[in-house]
Amino acid sequence: MNKKIPIGILGATGVVGQRFIQMLEHHPWFEVVWLAASDRSEGKVYEEAARWRLKTSIPQAVAKMKVSPATPEGAPKIIFAALDSAIAAELEPGFADAGCAVVSNSSALRMKEDVPLVIPEVNPGHIRLIDIQGWRKKSGGYVVTNPNCSAIGLVLALAPLHQRFGLETVMAVTMQAVSGAGYPGVASLDILGNVIPFIPKEEEKLEAETRKLLGVLENGAVRDATFKISAQCNRVAVEDGHTESVSIKLKKSAKAEEIVEQWRSFRARPQEISLPTAPEQPVIYDYSVDRPQPRLDVNRGRGMSATVGRLRPCGVLDWKFSVLSHNTIRGAAGAALLNAELLKHDGYLC
Ligand SMILES: NC(=O)c1ccc[n+]([C@@H]2O[C@H](COP(=O)([O-])OP(=O)(O)OC[C@H]3O[C@@H](n4cnc5c(N)ncnc54)[C@H](OP(=O)(O)O)[C@@H]3O)[C@@H](O)[C@H]2O)c1
């Protein structure tokens, strides 16, 4: 009775893997029973294998767990995956082939036509793409992905506006935290007192994923949204939290108060069906002139809300604003967890 669902974490020792462990410690539905990482960690107990970087302690139940090899043998049927993209491309299909539900953070399969790329507040219906996956037909396994950490904040801010006014053009400039690069990430001598105006493949991901997320599922395929989008991505010396300066042109004209109201009143499926990790308010609008700021606002909604501020007219497009979201919570582990909760609610985790 009330038995929790056993889950495993692939890439459990990394930045996102640690966030999974932290967020799952008191989860009402899921329980961590299996951890895997590279052969550097395999066979060690978790507390020795992981360089724990979070401010809470390693949960007792996990600290003494042995790190398993990253193969499906002996793994549970639900896998949260936090692997580098090249490794994910190699390993995730094998787990899906072996009948596992793979809830992935990696970019490896995000843009594959039959793989859902999902933010539960934005495009929950896209999970139905699972039904056409070859893995699903063969073994019951499948892969579901969440977007890149800067796409999530951007799309949470854009979705309510796209729904009501339609987007014509989007320009986004990101200021991305160092934790977004994994551990050890960017060398301190490169980032301290510095801004690095290049993150490999990030601009392409932000543009393509935003269009897929705001696209429409029709006849078993996602038709991407057609607005123009240009992204510029920077790494900055912030620990957690990606901030983005965004300018937009809308199809229908909108007043500032109508835009703010769209954000403030935005509620979607995860809120309606009370998924445990869903924030009460997915988008928080802050009227202060100098917010959002990562240090002050990154943990709003337990790290699951995007904070928007500084809405004002744009001299080139229609409107401009700033948006902030937590890259390892809303942008990674929390995003996957919310996807898994939606999958369970919709009967995909049997
Ligand atoms: N950090 C973020 O904010 C963020 C946000 C969204 C998405 N993501 C995505 O999430 C994924 C993980 O990112 P991260 O920041 O957590 O990276 P990370 O800190 O570098 O962690 C990588 C993990 O992968 C494991 N690993 C490496 N090689 C492996 C192999 N051959 N077989 C099995 N496991 C292997 C590592 O294990 P060892 O410790 O044993 O080496 C570690 O557990 C990436 O695809 C990243 O793009 C990250």
Side-chain angles (χ1 to χ4, degrees):
M1 266 196 296
N2 289 335
K3 210 167 165 287
K4 291 192 185 178
I5 300 172
I7 66 95
I9 303 173
L10 256 180
T13 48
V15 166
V16 178
Q18 295 185 21
R19 243 338 145 193
F20 271 127
I21 287 167
Q22 185 190 51
M23 294 190 79
L24 283 160
E25 185 177 7
H26 302 294
H27 197 279
W29 300 350
F30 302 126
E31 182 182 13
V32 180
V33 298
W34 181 91
L35 306 169
S38 77
D39 51 14
R40 290 181 290 278
S41 307
E42 189 187 318
K44 296 183 183 158
V45 291
Y46 184 77
E47 65 184 356
E48 280 165 21
R51 219 181 141 91
W52 187 258
R53 307 309 300 161
L54 297 177
K55 287 169 187 151
T56 53
S57 335
I58 304 181
Q60 275 308 301
V62 166
K64 303 287 178 206
M65 217 177 259
K66 209 173 227 188
V67 179
S68 299
T71 56
E73 292 76 38
K77 287 292 179 210
I78 297 157
I79 299 292
F80 291 109
L83 297 168
D84 297 330
S85 152
I87 316 286
E90 241 177 76
L91 298 187
E92 289 179 356
F95 278 80
D97 214 37
C100 298
V102 180
V103 186
S104 167
N105 261 286
S106 150
S107 61
L109 302 172
R110 279 181 201 147
M111 297 307 292
K112 200 170 170 299
E113 271 189 10
D114 59 0
V115 172
L117 173 64
V118 176
I119 300 175
E121 282 92 345
V122 174
N123 60 340
H126 289 201
I127 62 167
R128 292 198 302 275
L129 279 177
I130 289 170
D131 299 333
I132 63 168
Q133 291 183 2
W135 304 301
R136 178 75 165 160
K137 289 176 189 157
K138 185 182 153 209
S139 65
Y142 58 85
V143 178
V144 170
T145 60
N146 55 258
N148 167 282
C149 41
S150 42
I152 293 190
L154 178 66
V155 172
L156 278 172
L158 294 179
L161 309 187
H162 191 47
Q163 277 167 13
R164 179 160 170 199
F165 309 111
L167 289 166
E168 200 165 297
T169 306
V170 176
M171 297 184 69
V173 178
T174 72
M175 290 148 274
Q176 300 185 211
V178 283
S179 60
Y183 190 85
V186 190
S188 57
L189 280 180
D190 287 338
I191 195 69
L192 283 177
N194 203 11
V195 171
I196 301 173
F198 177 63
I199 305 175
K201 298 192 188 142
E202 195 79 354
E203 294 174 353
E204 295 83 345
K205 285 186 210 166
L206 189 49
E207 293 170 2
E209 292 178 19
T210 299
R211 285 206 198 94
K212 182 170 177 179
L213 287 157
L214 292 171
V216 178
L217 181 65
E218 276 177 346
N219 306 322
V222 174
R223 185 168 45 81
D224 288 357
T226 53
F227 51 79
K228 285 185 273 182
I229 177 165
S230 169
Q232 300 187 61
C233 297
N234 303 284
R235 185 76 68 200
V236 298
V238 164
E239 187 182 352
D240 288 317
H242 293 352
T243 308
E244 303 175 51
S245 295
V246 185
S247 294
I248 52 170
K249 184 167 177 54
L250 298 168
K251 286 188 177 148
K252 289 187 209 154
S253 73
K255 295 184 184 137
E257 52 276 23
E258 290 172 327
I259 292 176
V260 171
E261 186 47 29
Q262 275 302 102
W263 283 324
R264 288 166 62 92
S265 62
F266 181 55
R267 301 289 184 280
R269 192 109 191 286
Q271 287 71 39
E272 283 154 22
I273 59 179
S274 301
L275 297 180
T277 303
E280 248 174 64
Q281 208 175 330
V283 181
I284 294 172
Y285 187 79
D286 192 318
Y287 285 97
S288 317
V289 291
D290 58 355
R291 304 285 273 274
Q293 296 181 21
R295 192 183 293 159
L296 303 177
D297 301 311
V298 76
N299 288 316
R300 288 191 177 195
R302 291 170 291 133
M304 288 297 286
S305 297
T307 306
V308 179
R310 302 213 62 223
L311 178 70
R312 59 220 189 275
C314 172
V316 179
L317 303 181
D318 293 337
W319 293 100
K320 53 187 175 180
F321 59 87
S322 301
V323 58
L324 165 74
S325 58
H326 197 305
N327 52 295
T328 65
I329 300 180
R330 180 44 113 159
L337 200 44
L338 199 58
N339 278 351
E341 291 169 1
L342 178 68
L343 291 166
K344 177 180 181 297
H345 183 274
D346 286 5
Y348 281 96
L349 291 189
C350 305

